[in-house]
Amino acid sequence: MKFPSLNIQILLGAFFGVAIGLYFHALGPEHQVTQSGLYAASLAGTLFIDLLKMILIPLVFCSITVGIANLRQHQQMHRVWVTTLLFFISSMAIAIVLALLAGNYFKPGANLHLTMFEHAMQKIEAKQLPLSDFFAQFLHGLFVNPFTALSQGNVLAVVMFSLILGVTLVIGGERYKNILSLLQEGLDVTMQIVGWVMRIAPLGIMALLIKLVALQDVAMLSTLAKFVAIVAGTLLLHGVVILPLILYVFTGKSPLFFWQGAREALVTAFATSSSSATLPVTLRCASQQLEVKPEIAGFVIPLGATINMDGTALYEAAAALFIANLVGIELNFSQQLIVFFTAMIAAMGAPGIPSAGMVTMVMVLQSVGLPAEAIAILLPIDRLLDTLRTTVNVEGDMVGSLVVQKLIAQRSI
Ligand code: ASP
């Protein structure tokens, strides 16, 4: 009998994960089977994420440095930079506009009352996060001693240092060719290890989904059903219609081609809710299956995993409108413009880890005078919505790498 391909195994893992999770949910948390099942799922899921995180930092370091250094042949460094940043900003802007349109149209918080959530809000003391402090913190976190950043797994700081190192290698040319070939080999080695880690991906994904589904708080979910449906619908619109359309318009590639090449990364993002943990898989899909040149993928994907978050930006804006509805404040046009900008900054600044968007959302709420404690209302449903927004975040990075590759190729003819 032929063993199914990794792609099929991953889809099967996801399917069984949801099914077993539903079964445990039906049995209830006290049941012996649920408890031992969840213990095993927790072990396997954590092991999978740990393995991805283990390889993440060496991979990011090598892939960005080598990616930048290899752009030298084409004299394209500047263009890749500008095109990538423009793409990130535009796709996040579209995502936020979708969220604002949907929020204004459907008004998900209109029939709910704040008193329903008072208990939850009292329990949380939201840390103040003024925009100015957030910006200062973000800037301060960009440049860190590389050894500290590497050892602490600080992805953003590693990205920044690798960019600088890559540029230095380009400028040094022949003089530093040994360092470059060492890093090139480092990249090959880390990708090889990613390949091995992926063999347990079906099991890891199944375990993570079992835990996620079994532990869902259904009561809260039904109270907030309208909001959840609107966010999920808008995320799907962005992920299933807008991003594939952008891809098709710029590159002529079909959604089917994209889905086939990208699904390992999309399913991993869904199950882990972490763009950073998914990054090794995203890079693998982009460079091996979506035919993005390593020097473009090596630059766009790691940078995207840290700052390009369409799903998070969309969610932050949608949530701000929802909370405004709930507390009975009508946000006018200029306030919504503030939400637009702060949601983008908050998404860019959110690290690619589970629920990071919830933390930076405090800033969006405060920017228009909404109570920061209101994030308590969204916490119970966050884990669920995080799956979708992380998937859209990762999708945006892969679409970005394909679009940037095409635009660069066109302009250098
Ligand atoms: N979990 C998301 C990510 O890793 C960030 C967020 O919380 O929105 O991309």
Side-chain angles (χ1 to χ4, degrees):
M1 196 187 80
K2 219 175 126 231
F3 218 61
S5 70
L6 183 64
N7 255 320
I8 303 288
Q9 288 179 40
I10 287 180
L11 289 182
L12 284 175
F15 173 78
F16 282 115
V18 174
I20 299 172
L22 285 173
Y23 175 64
F24 286 168
H25 198 278
L27 286 180
E30 305 302 327
H31 201 285
Q32 184 61 39
V33 174
T34 310
Q35 287 187 349
S36 19
L38 282 183
Y39 176 71
S42 199
L43 282 186
T46 311
L47 183 71
F48 176 54
I49 293 191
D50 285 346
L51 283 168
L52 286 173
K53 285 211 223 144
M54 174 189 81
I55 201 62
L56 172 68
I57 292 292
L59 177 62
V60 169
F61 178 58
C62 297
S63 82
I64 295 203
T65 314
V66 171
I68 293 283
N70 283 341
L71 285 173
R72 135 191 72 161
Q73 291 109 342
H74 319 284
Q75 299 295 320
Q76 288 167 328
M77 208 158 61
H78 178 65
R79 262 188 275 154
V80 173
W81 252 113
V82 175
T83 318
T84 304
L85 288 182
L86 276 180
F87 177 86
F88 287 171
I89 291 173
S90 319
S91 67
M92 279 195 278
I94 296 174
I96 298 174
V97 169
L98 284 182
L100 293 177
L101 289 176
N104 281 304
Y105 186 74
F106 293 108
K107 300 208 184 316
N111 293 326
L112 299 174
H113 303 289
L114 201 58
T115 41
M116 292 160 75
F117 305 103
E118 246 156 26
H119 179 62
M121 283 174 64
Q122 271 160 12
K123 276 198 300 193
I124 189 159
E125 205 189 310
K127 243 173 81 199
Q128 300 292 310
L129 196 63
L131 184 58
S132 51
D133 287 5
F134 177 76
F135 185 66
Q137 249 179 41
F138 180 72
L139 211 64
H140 183 61
L142 288 182
F143 304 105
V144 173
N145 170 356
F147 297 102
T148 312
L150 288 166
S151 67
Q152 291 181 343
N154 179 344
V155 184
L156 191 60
V158 171
V159 167
M160 294 316 289
F161 179 73
S162 315
L163 287 175
I164 297 173
L165 184 61
V167 172
T168 317
L169 294 183
V170 172
I171 292 170
E174 274 300 290
R175 251 188 314 157
Y176 305 140
K177 66 175 191 311
N178 291 338
I179 298 187
L180 182 56
S181 59
L182 185 71
L183 288 170
Q184 177 67 60
E185 280 181 29
L187 179 60
D188 296 346
V189 167
T190 44
M191 284 312 278
Q192 170 82 55
I193 297 176
V194 173
W196 291 333
V197 174
M198 284 314 285
R199 298 215 181 150
I200 69 150
L203 200 72
I205 284 167
M206 182 171 88
L208 289 167
L209 289 178
I210 290 177
K211 220 176 129 195
L212 173 76
V213 174
L215 297 178
Q216 265 325 302
D217 178 351
V218 182
M220 202 59 179
L221 210 63
S222 57
T223 316
L224 296 174
K226 190 170 172 196
F227 174 65
V228 173
I230 290 169
V231 171
T234 321
L235 282 170
L236 283 176
L237 177 68
H238 191 70
V240 179
V241 181
I242 307 288
L243 284 175
L245 196 68
I246 293 177
L247 180 70
Y248 183 72
V249 169
F250 282 98
T251 69
K253 302 238 187 259
S254 74
L256 198 67
F257 162 83
F258 180 75
W259 162 246
Q260 275 171 351
R263 63 186 159 188
E264 272 177 23
L266 297 178
V267 178
T268 309
F270 186 90
T272 59
S273 284
S274 167
S275 308
S276 292
T278 311
L279 178 51
V281 191
T282 320
L283 252 175
R284 183 178 130 102
C285 287
S287 53
Q288 295 179 2
Q289 290 162 26
L290 293 171
E291 297 155 13
V292 181
K293 290 196 192 103
E295 58 267 33
I296 304 277
F299 171 71
V300 180
I301 301 279
L303 192 66
T306 41
I307 66 167
N308 180 40
M309 299 206 176
D310 292 13
T312 304
L314 187 156
Y315 181 66
E316 307 236 358
L321 284 200
F322 171 68
I323 303 282
N325 274 180
L326 210 59
V327 296
I329 296 177
E330 190 73 37
L331 295 180
N332 61 25
F333 182 75
S334 50
Q335 283 169 314
Q336 295 202 19
L337 208 61
I338 296 177
V339 169
F340 176 91
F341 285 112
T342 45
M344 187 170 305
I345 296 171
M348 288 174 117
I353 54 174
S355 291
M358 280 314 267
V359 179
T360 57
M361 185 140 70
V362 172
M363 184 182 80
V364 183
L365 298 180
Q366 282 175 346
S367 70
V368 283
L370 295 168
E373 291 72 23
I375 58 163
I377 300 166
L378 303 172
L379 280 178
I381 52 162
D382 188 58
R383 190 61 191 86
L384 188 74
L385 290 177
D386 202 2
T387 55
L388 281 181
R389 59 177 198 255
T390 310
T391 311
V392 173
N393 289 345
V394 168
E395 181 186 359
D397 300 339
M398 286 186 282
V399 169
S401 66
L402 282 159
V403 171
V404 169
Q405 164 157 282
K406 183 73 183 182
L407 291 178
I408 299 299
Q410 270 171 356
R411 283 207 265 160
S412 48
I413 292 171

